[in-house]
Amino acid sequence: MFKRNLLSAAALGVFVVLATGSEETETSGVDDWTIEPDAGSSSGSSSSAAAIEISAKDLSSEYDKNEVAADNKYKGKKVKVTGKVEDIGKDFMDDVYVTLEGVDLFQGVQVYFKNSSEDEIAATLEKGQDITIEGECDGMLISVQIQDAVFIEH
């Protein structure tokens, strides 16, 4: 019985030492943290910079050729994209999107909208229609992703 209590006390002591040590480690560098503005935030340079104008096919093609180079050029930046509507739908979270034709059937430009008034415009679109949107490029996830878009021409 004494042996079991001694082992329990030792285990508890090790736990207390580890917990105390980890608490100091986690909080020791907090004062040194620097928070930089997000590239897409209102204080970032992308919101005041002019949008990069490009066709959906050219944007898709650049990502197809070299995703890393395309991310360096477009990701986190405002883009004005013109293209032909390939699909209009909702994702698994019920968010409205429009896909613009890209270099092939599986690599288009998928556009998500900033607010519900843009969703209402999306509801009036037809496949094959030419549109222009402006939003923030979010890189590639199967297709090139554009977030927080608004319609420029439809």
Side-chain angles (χ1 to χ4, degrees):
M1 182 77 167
F2 175 74
K3 198 177 207 181
R4 186 183 299 163
N5 287 340
L6 182 60
L7 286 174
S8 295
L12 181 61
V14 168
F15 176 75
V16 169
V17 168
L18 289 174
T20 304
S22 68
E23 182 179 310
E24 289 176 17
T25 303
E26 289 176 14
T27 60
S28 63
V30 171
D31 294 335
D32 299 332
W33 289 1
T34 303
I35 299 175
E36 297 181 18
D38 182 28
S41 71
S42 59
S43 62
S45 60
S46 67
S47 63
S48 61
I52 301 167
E53 293 189 35
I54 189 166
S55 74
K57 285 192 176 188
D58 287 346
L59 183 60
S60 174
S61 176
E62 286 198 42
Y63 269 93
D64 185 51
K65 290 176 188 171
N66 186 331
E67 182 178 352
V68 175
D71 268 352
N72 289 339
K73 191 172 180 180
Y74 300 108
K75 190 171 183 179
K77 295 183 176 89
K78 193 186 309 182
V79 292
K80 185 175 181 179
V81 181
T82 300
K84 194 171 290 296
V85 174
E86 180 177 78
D87 190 28
I88 307 142
K90 291 184 177 183
D91 66 9
F92 68 96
M93 301 224 1
D94 214 30
D95 293 325
V96 173
Y97 67 85
V98 171
T99 304
L100 303 176
E101 290 180 0
V103 290
D104 62 38
L105 181 62
F106 300 106
Q107 195 172 6
V109 175
Q110 194 165 30
V111 181
Y112 286 90
F113 298 97
K114 192 171 196 160
N115 56 47
S116 60
S117 64
E118 303 299 325
D119 292 351
E120 291 171 15
I121 295 170
T124 67
L125 299 177
E126 295 180 10
K127 292 181 181 181
Q129 184 176 346
D130 289 319
I131 64 168
T132 300
I133 59 90
E134 188 172 288
E136 183 178 320
C137 182
D138 198 26
M140 192 166 95
L141 177 67
I142 301 173
S143 59
V144 180
Q145 303 289 301
I146 306 294
Q147 302 293 330
D148 297 327
V150 294
F151 284 99
I152 304 299
E153 293 180 25
H154 59 279

